[in-house]
């Protein structure tokens, strides 16, 4: 991979950043004082980028800068800085369709691959809160609104075909980030690959059985084809609970650098996958056993609330703002046609539900057998306990991916999660 | 629509063209003599462009120039000159994957939206030959090779994902031509629209019943969504028998100005639709009745040979050159996985078959109820006879579009064609 780094690009440090940002009037106004008075700390804990908090006498901002390689791995894995461009493009578009649910963009510096954003305080990464068993009562509503609005409004249901094609082209260059997904989610967990790791030896047998499961490999390959050749809508592309910042009253979706025009179910699936992984991980976070039972119920309730809220919001948008070139209104403006269209909308959502379950399953499996894991599971120190949570997740994921048609509703999915959570995955006591 | 015409653009005339082409060494070499010795005739009979034949002492060329409007309609319907760019892009790519099956490109002038090509002689437009009942024994093999090669090699089955995305982006600007398809094929025939015309009053009832058929409107809308958001492969985009030039021994595919990255079934469906329309039209071209029976058999045999040849060629390419990011070889390199993949390939072709039948149906209906008709039917002077052929075509198309799953093989389709061809569509003698 050839990484094109603009001549002006310099990775920032807490020391250099105030000098760079001091030239931006909007930032000076927001932070107050002079750059020498600004306090900077690097706080990035993600896999890819530098993240700084910058505070001045009157306020603070968050600054995200792309590195020309994958931070998690190092310079041996180059990654284009252009991902900041795509993230900026997506942030602006998301803010238009889902106002108040993303961090406001204050400044974008293309040469530096740097985005200055609203500092979200006292927000924390939702994943951390969920590991601690914190309930977020407004999260499901906010996230279903975000997904329904951003996906609907960037789809052919809302857009003119020519505008949609321009949107596809605008994101077509984000190939390196799409490539990460194609490799790490849809391919490597199903084969012997250097990047893979899992809780060993506990999961060795399950990992091997997944690599030998031809039905599963066909199913994940179909999902990969859909990911590569279905331009349904602009998707966030990495919509897990680590991309959500929350308080009890506010929800913001961050980090859309994987954005491109792809299948909607990839976003909705990501949400459900990460909630389910957290659900299965609770065995490693509760003491005494059962202490997190009501939290478990909240998590699965959120799965249901998210999906059902997504559906009703998406359908409401379709009915009120379905002015795109797909299912053109002119064909369905009589009463009978309207009834048929309403039935077709239900079928459309059912198809999206199947996609969602398939993508959710792919995301669950990759977090357990692939390169990048979730701390929901990783933070469980006892490997035997962790392996139980992971094995249950894997088994449920396999059943979702190979038989999404077995689940008629999201309640069927949460019911299945409860069943999988009750089994002894290694059969030791059977 | 804002038509961007380069300052240097001048629509050519037989008088001006030699002066323009005289500056191109490759053309001077091919035609011989000096530009004043070249004979030019304008021969365009298509809907959109100027076409010239230019002959010199040692040879000839064909020259196609885009006009900034739809020739069929006039300046009131502007159409971007950039379609010449997309046509050139497609011609070059098709020649790479299907050598010998397209006209060789000699010169491309972007400012003039002009492509100079190999003069195909003594080729004629296949549609004309089929109206005259001429058998082309090599056509089905050539066309199935063209479709299989161009579609396979520009799909995710053959390409790396990043290259494929670049291909999508390269064609994303061809929105005006895609828009024509979206409107004229997938929308207007199913509603009251100014552009529509049909054999009236004979087909009035059938046209009305199609506009009132909600199942059909849902089905065609699904096809439209697939057309707009499925980037399976670079498609020709207008692969009818008017885009094929033939002799008894040679077959060339021309005019890919509608090319973009879309659903494969749109191309294969176009071929089958146009063969079926010709089949149904024979009643208007034979005298005495039954005189064309053996030709009818050849046409339906060609439908079968085209589809079956396409399938076997496509699958052979997949097996031998399936090195793209879809269904990655690394997941399927053991014996069991190989068997599963082979079964999946059959399912993939079955899905493509359903798409093909749907798109074929859409193309049959638009040629009878929409703006642009086929001379296979239009040339039938007796409106009552024409209406019989058209009604049979419409009825078969409706059954293909709403129930593609009822046809398990291409032989089921040709059997159905024979049945539809035997009915009295207006029931006068029933």
């Amino acid at each position: 991979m050839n990484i094109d780094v603009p001549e002006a690009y310099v990775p920032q440090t807490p020391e250099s950043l105030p000098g760079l940002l001091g030239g931006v009037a909007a930032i000076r106004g927001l932070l107050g004082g002079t750059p020498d008075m600004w306090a900077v700390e690097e706080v990035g804990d993600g896999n890819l980028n530098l993240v700084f908090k910058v505070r001045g006498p009157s306020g603070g901002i968050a600054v995200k800068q792309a590195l020309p390689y994958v931070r998690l791995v190092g310079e041996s894995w180059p990654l284009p800085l252009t991902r900041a461009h795509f993230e900026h493009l997506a942030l602006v578009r998301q803010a238009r369709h889902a106002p108040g649910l993303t961090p406001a963009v204050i400044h974008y510096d293309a040469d530096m691959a740097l985005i200055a954003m609203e500092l979200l305080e006292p927000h924390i990464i939702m994943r951390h809160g969920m590991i601690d068993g914190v309930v977020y009562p407004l999260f499901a509503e906010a996230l279903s609104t975000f997904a329904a609005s951003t996906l609907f409004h960037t789809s052919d249901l809302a857009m003119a075909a020519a505008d949609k094609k321009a949107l596809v082209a605008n994101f077509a260059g984000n190939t390196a980030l799409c490539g990460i997904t194609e490799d790490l989610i849809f391919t490597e967990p199903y084969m012997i690959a250097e990047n893979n790791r899992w809780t060993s030896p506990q999961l060795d047998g399950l990992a091997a059985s997944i690599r030998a499961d031809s039905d599963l490999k066909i199913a994940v390959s179909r999902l990969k084809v859909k990911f590569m050749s279905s331009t349904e809508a602009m998707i966030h592309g990495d919509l897990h609970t680590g991309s959500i910042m929350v308080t009890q009253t506010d929800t913001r979706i961050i980090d859309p650098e994987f954005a491109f025009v792809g299948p909607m179910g990839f976003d909705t699936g990501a949400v459900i996958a990460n909630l389910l992984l957290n659900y299965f991980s609770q065995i490693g976070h509760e003491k005494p056993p059962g202490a997190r039972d009501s939290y478990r119920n909240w998590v699965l309730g959120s799965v249901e609330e998210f999906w059902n809220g997504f559906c009703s919001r998406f359908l409401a948008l379709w009915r009120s703002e379905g002015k795109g070139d797909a299912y053109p209104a002119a064909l369905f403006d009589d009463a009978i046609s309207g009834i048929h269209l309403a039935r077709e909308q239900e079928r459309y959502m059912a198809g999206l539900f199947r996609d969602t379950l398939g993508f959710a399953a792919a995301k669950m499996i990759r977090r357990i057998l692939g390169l990048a894991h979730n701390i929901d599971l990783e933070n469980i120190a006892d490997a035997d306990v962790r392996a139980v949570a992971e094995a249950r997740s894997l088994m449920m994921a396999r059943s979702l991916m190979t038989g999404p048609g077995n689940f008629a509703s999201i309640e069927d999915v949460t019911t299945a999660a409860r069943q999988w959570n009750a089994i002894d995955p290694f059969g030791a006591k059977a």
Side-chain angles (χ1 to χ4, degrees), chain A:
Chain A
M1 191 184 296
N2 220 334
I3 298 302
D4 201 19
V5 176
E7 219 168 297
Y9 175 81
V10 183
Q12 294 298 302
T13 63
E15 293 69 38
S16 68
L17 197 56
L20 180 73
L21 300 179
V24 182
I27 294 178
R28 280 200 315 275
L30 223 151
L31 299 186
T34 52
D36 58 294
M37 301 161 68
W38 300 347
V40 184
E41 51 174 335
E42 209 277 316
V43 296
D45 67 347
N47 296 333
L48 302 180
N49 307 288
L50 296 172
V51 182
F52 303 91
K53 289 185 179 178
V54 187
R55 295 169 209 275
S58 24
I61 58 172
V63 175
K64 179 172 176 181
Q65 184 181 34
L67 289 166
Y69 51 84
V70 176
R71 184 179 182 163
L72 172 71
V73 177
E75 300 197 20
S76 63
W77 188 335
L79 198 64
L81 297 176
T82 50
R83 64 188 189 268
H85 163 75
F86 297 110
E87 176 165 359
H88 177 245
L89 217 57
L91 278 171
V92 169
R93 183 104 195 184
Q94 289 164 348
R96 205 170 111 196
H97 299 309
L101 293 175
T102 52
V105 172
I106 296 160
H107 174 65
Y108 170 55
D109 183 332
D111 281 345
M112 288 292 174
L114 177 154
I115 305 170
M117 288 169 276
E118 177 184 10
L119 181 61
L120 299 172
E121 283 185 326
H123 300 63
I124 65 163
I125 295 286
M126 184 173 176
R127 192 187 302 289
H128 296 154
M130 290 189 74
I131 291 169
D132 292 340
V134 181
V135 164
Y136 295 101
L138 302 180
F139 141 80
E141 185 188 333
L143 209 65
S144 63
T145 300
F146 175 83
S149 298
T150 58
L151 297 177
F152 174 80
H153 284 293
T154 60
S155 78
D156 290 299
L157 301 171
M159 294 183 76
D163 298 335
K164 171 83 183 321
K165 281 205 167 52
L167 187 69
V168 170
N170 286 344
F171 282 96
N174 204 9
T175 53
L177 284 275
C178 286
I180 290 178
T181 301
E182 286 146 16
D183 293 342
L184 298 193
I185 297 184
F186 296 114
T187 312
E188 293 186 357
Y190 305 87
M191 59 185 277
I192 300 279
E194 213 181 320
N195 285 324
N196 290 342
R197 60 193 180 83
W198 58 78
T199 302
S200 179
Q202 292 88 339
L203 294 186
D204 290 358
L206 205 45
S209 89
I210 279 179
R211 290 195 303 274
D213 185 339
S214 295
D215 288 330
L216 197 65
K217 292 193 287 187
I218 293 291
V220 79
S221 296
R222 284 187 197 174
L223 291 165
K224 187 181 183 185
V225 167
K226 192 163 274 189
F227 183 80
M228 294 191 296
S229 64
S230 186
T231 55
E232 285 180 353
M234 184 191 78
I235 66 174
H236 178 285
D238 197 25
L239 197 51
H240 55 70
T241 47
S243 297
I244 303 169
M245 298 195 71
V246 282
T247 66
Q248 287 298 306
T249 57
D250 194 39
T251 307
R252 306 289 187 106
I253 292 87
I254 64 170
D255 283 354
E257 65 209 285
F258 283 84
F260 79 115
V261 181
M264 300 184 192
F266 191 77
D267 271 3
T268 45
V271 174
I272 289 171
N274 281 272
L275 294 179
L276 289 176
L277 287 176
N278 178 273
Y279 169 77
F280 287 114
S281 81
Q282 292 298 334
I283 187 180
H285 304 301
E286 68 185 352
K287 40 192 133 155
R292 288 281 181 92
D293 278 351
S294 75
Y295 195 67
R296 287 186 177 93
N297 286 334
W298 178 76
V299 174
L300 293 187
S302 294
V303 168
E304 296 168 2
E305 195 188 338
F306 166 73
W307 176 257
N308 292 325
F310 169 79
C311 277
S312 61
R313 286 175 172 84
F314 192 95
L315 284 170
L317 286 169
W318 193 343
R319 284 188 290 264
S320 65
E321 301 181 52
K323 302 185 172 88
D325 273 317
Y327 298 96
L331 294 197
F332 301 102
D333 56 2
D334 61 295
I336 298 277
S337 298
I339 291 167
H340 280 250
L341 180 60
R343 220 175 286 151
E344 174 71 358
Q345 289 169 332
E346 297 294 338
R347 277 191 296 260
Y348 186 98
M349 300 313 288
L352 198 42
F353 184 59
R354 284 190 298 275
D355 288 356
T356 297
L357 298 187
F359 286 121
K363 293 193 151 242
M364 292 169 75
I365 292 171
R366 68 82 59 114
R367 291 293 183 192
I368 296 167
L369 301 181
L371 171 68
H373 290 215
N374 277 3
I375 54 171
D376 309 63
L377 293 162
E378 287 295 273
N379 280 5
I380 302 174
D382 183 329
D384 287 328
V385 175
R386 185 168 72 242
V388 166
E390 291 175 330
R392 289 168 175 165
S393 304
L394 284 176
M395 288 168 163
M396 175 162 184
R398 191 198 313 231
S399 123
L400 285 175
M401 194 187 285
T402 54
N406 297 326
F407 302 85
S409 69
I410 195 67
E411 289 74 19
D412 285 355
V413 175
T414 52
T415 299
R418 286 190 170 88
Q419 288 188 13
W420 286 112
N421 200 46
I423 70 148
D424 174 356
F426 301 110
K429 289 130 201 157

